[in-house]
């Protein structure tokens, strides 16, 4: 059982100001001296980076599509451990889920967390009609408690008075009203907001201002009362050790039960079983890419690798000229290599080191940005040359969840294993797959498998597939 004040910040549609309000609330509550835990519904990597900057804790994703709905409450409890309050930023519109359903929507996550919803409404072009809009959202699904409204982009004191009067008649409390302020805007580009890792100084300054703006415009005491109205959540915290202990059945569409207390589960680690007489306790080093070009990574990935027996080390392909000493495997996640292609190309020593690691037969796992980095070239600039393929920017956005099966045995998964991942890019690779593809997405082959190299556009959340971490750690230790 978890007793933690919590609130979900939602909106009628994308672009209404969810990120502004949610991140501003996190910063304002932290400025009050509270320990704040930030969460994001859905697969997005960028918003949690801003949450982490605002709270001083890792931003955590809650995605029923990628992880399974039974893991949402345990993952929430794990990520929010030790916090005084949790703020969950929604995704898209409140009821927008996968395809024609609300599965994976903000409303779905709010139900799974039994959390009240704070609806952010962009009021820039409406008056009393705001009441009809809020009434529709509040009454659409009785299982979802829309318990308050924050008005965004209010034009004037008179405009605010009209809006508040309309909502008073409805009986939904207005907990704050933000005026139009371009000074708290975050720059965007082809895949959304510019990540924190690429602009930490300016982002920190903007967040300080945003926290002050939200703190002055929102009734924080009312938000705290609303968050406290969420009752005890009947769950135990997820733990990577317990997840690995229960991951013997490789059916990723039915995530393992991780509700057992972590201190009762002590799986045998690969490092306890391998090595030689001269290095009996050596944990294999698994390097995980980070930095401005590779900022997309769920924190559970590193936690699972460590629980599986690996020593996790960070490497920044923009700045580090060599892999960490003793690297036995490399995980290259997502990010924006296309925005840093010249600097990645200029770091020839690291590119050569990555190629040597791949040639040695050590595991190299690449998702999206990692796939581009392993290619022969990206937008005409030399990359690692591990894959005989060229990559480049296109004008086409590829976006959405994908159901896939492993096309063959690999370091990541056994042949036939089912996974559910997410694609989000404006690049293309030629050829799009090798003779031995990583996945079959329906009848479409996708990605590359070459020896112990596994490269694909598909992003996976490893909490839903803990066996991946075990396979990588064991292959690194072998």
């Amino acid at each position: 059982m978890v007793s933690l004040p919590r609130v979900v910040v939602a909106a009628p549609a994308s672009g209404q100001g969810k990120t502004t309000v949610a991140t501003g609330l996190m910063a304002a509550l932290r400025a009050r001296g509270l320990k704040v835990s930030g969460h994001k519904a859905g697969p997005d990597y960028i918003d949690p980076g801003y949450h982490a900057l605002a709270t001083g804790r890792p931003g955590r994703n809650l995605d029923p599509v990628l992880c399974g709905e039974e893991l949402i409450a345990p993952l929430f409890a794990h990520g929010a451990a030790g916090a005084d309050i949790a703020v969950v930023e929604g995704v898209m519109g409140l009821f927008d889920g996968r395809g024609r359903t609300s599965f994976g929507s903000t409303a779905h996550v709010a139900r799974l967390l039994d959390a009240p919803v704070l609806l952010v409404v962009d009021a820039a072009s409406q008056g009393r009609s705001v009441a009809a809009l809020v009434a529709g959202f509040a009454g659409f699904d009785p299982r979802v408690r829309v318990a308050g409204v924050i008005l965004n982009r209010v034009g004037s004191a008179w405009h605010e008075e009209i809006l508040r009067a309309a909502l008073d008649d409805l009986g939904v409390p207005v907990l704050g009203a933000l005026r139009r302020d371009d000074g708290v805007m975050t720059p965007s580009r082809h895949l959304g907001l510019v990540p924190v890792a690429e602009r930490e100084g300016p982002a920190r300054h903007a967040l300080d201002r945003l926290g002050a703006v939200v703190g002055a415009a929102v009734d924080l005491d009312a938000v705290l009362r609303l968050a406290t109205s969420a009752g005890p959540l009947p769950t135990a915290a997820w733990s990577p050790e317990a997840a690995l202990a229960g991951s013997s059945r490789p059916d990723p569409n039915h995530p393992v039960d991780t509700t057992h207390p972590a201190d009762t589960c002590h799986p045998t680690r690969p490092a306890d079983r391998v090595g030689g007489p001269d290095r009996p306790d050596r944990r294999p080093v698994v390097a995980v890419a980070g930095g401005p070009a590779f900022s997309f990574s769920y924190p559970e990935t590193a936690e699972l690798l460590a629980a599986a027996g690996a020593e996790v080390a960070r490497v920044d392909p923009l700045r580090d000229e060599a892999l960490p000493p003793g690297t036995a495997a490399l995980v290259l996640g997502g990010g924006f290599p296309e925005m840093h292609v010249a600097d990645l190309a200029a770091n020839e020593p690291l590119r050569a080191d990555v190629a040597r690691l791949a040639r040695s037969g050590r595991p190299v796992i690449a998702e999206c940005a990692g796939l581009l980095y392993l290619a022969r070239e990206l937008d005409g600039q030399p990359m690692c040359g591990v894959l005989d393929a060229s990559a480049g920017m296109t004008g086409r956005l590829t976006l959405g969840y994908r159901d896939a099966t492993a096309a063959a045995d690999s370091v990541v998964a056994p042949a036939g294993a089912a996974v559910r991942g997410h694609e989000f890019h404006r690049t293309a690779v030629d050829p799009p797959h090798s003779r031995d593809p990583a996945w079959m997405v329906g009848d479409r082959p996708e990605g590359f498998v070459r020896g112990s190299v596994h490269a694909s556009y598909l992003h996976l959340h490893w909490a839903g597939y803990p066996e991946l971490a075990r396979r990588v750690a064991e292959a690194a230790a072998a």
Side-chain angles (χ1 to χ4, degrees), residues 20 27 34 54 64 112 166 202 208 228 232 236 239 251 281 295 351 357 387 409 411 422 449:
T20 296
L34 297 173
L112 294 172
D208 288 343
T228 304
S239 80
D251 185 354
D281 299 320
S295 58
R351 292 193 289 109
L357 185 78
L387 305 175
D409 287 338
V411 67
H422 189 260
V449 171

Side-chain angles (χ1 to χ4, degrees), residues 49-358:
Y50 286 90
H51 299 171
L53 195 62
T55 64
R57 300 164 59 102
R60 302 279 183 166
N61 290 74
L62 301 170
D63 192 328
V65 179
L66 293 185
C67 296
E69 61 182 354
E70 59 267 49
L71 278 189
I72 298 308
L75 284 170
F76 169 80
H78 169 69
D84 299 315
I85 185 172
V87 178
V88 181
E89 180 188 342
V91 58
M92 300 188 295
L94 176 57
F95 298 103
D96 297 332
R98 191 182 188 200
R100 299 178 181 178
T101 75
S102 63
F103 194 95
S105 66
T106 305
H108 188 193
V109 171
R111 295 199 311 269
L112 294 172
L113 298 181
D114 192 20
V117 172
L118 188 53
L119 193 69
V120 178
V121 177
D122 184 345
S125 301
Q126 59 185 317
R128 283 188 55 78
S129 295
V130 71
L133 185 150
V134 173
F137 275 84
F140 184 76
D141 185 342
R143 298 172 298 173
V144 179
R145 180 161 63 102
V146 177
V149 172
I150 289 183
L151 302 167
N152 191 28
R153 298 180 67 220
V154 176
S156 65
W158 175 238
H159 186 203
E160 181 178 340
E161 186 176 331
I162 292 171
L163 296 167
R164 284 182 177 274
L167 290 168
D168 280 345
D169 293 343
L170 186 64
V172 178
V174 176
L175 303 190
L178 280 70
R179 299 294 172 87
R180 300 168 189 170
D181 186 348
D182 292 338
V184 296
M185 296 292 289
T186 299
S188 299
R189 61 180 182 221
H190 60 285
L191 292 182
L193 300 180
V194 177
V196 162
E198 298 183 44
R199 55 183 301 269
E200 185 166 343
R204 190 175 297 279
H205 176 75
L207 274 178
D208 288 343
R209 177 170 178 179
L210 179 59
V213 168
V214 171
V218 174
D219 185 344
L220 296 181
D221 290 329
V223 172
L224 287 167
R225 288 193 297 271
L226 178 61
T228 304
S229 72
L233 189 62
T235 190
W238 178 89
S239 80
E241 293 82 7
L244 286 163
S247 66
S248 58
R249 56 183 177 92
D251 185 354
N253 284 328
H254 296 84
V256 300
D257 179 8
T258 62
T259 59
H260 305 292
D263 60 0
T264 66
C265 300
H266 299 284
T268 302
R269 290 172 168 170
D272 297 328
R273 304 197 303 270
V274 300
D278 57 333
R279 22 186 294 191
D281 299 320
R282 185 70 177 268
R283 291 160 64 87
V285 176
V286 177
V288 177
F294 291 89
S295 58
F296 293 2
S297 179
Y298 299 122
E300 291 83 1
T301 297
E303 292 168 351
L304 282 163
L305 285 168
E311 177 185 333
V312 178
R314 296 291 176 177
V315 59
D316 183 348
L318 285 177
R319 298 182 175 90
D320 297 326
E321 293 190 347
L323 293 169
T327 292
L330 174 62
V331 177
L332 295 160
F336 285 104
E338 63 269 27
M339 304 305 299
H340 304 276
V341 63
D343 290 333
L344 290 171
N347 191 354
E348 192 278 334
L350 184 66
R351 292 193 289 109
D353 211 11
V354 171
R356 279 192 294 271
L357 185 78

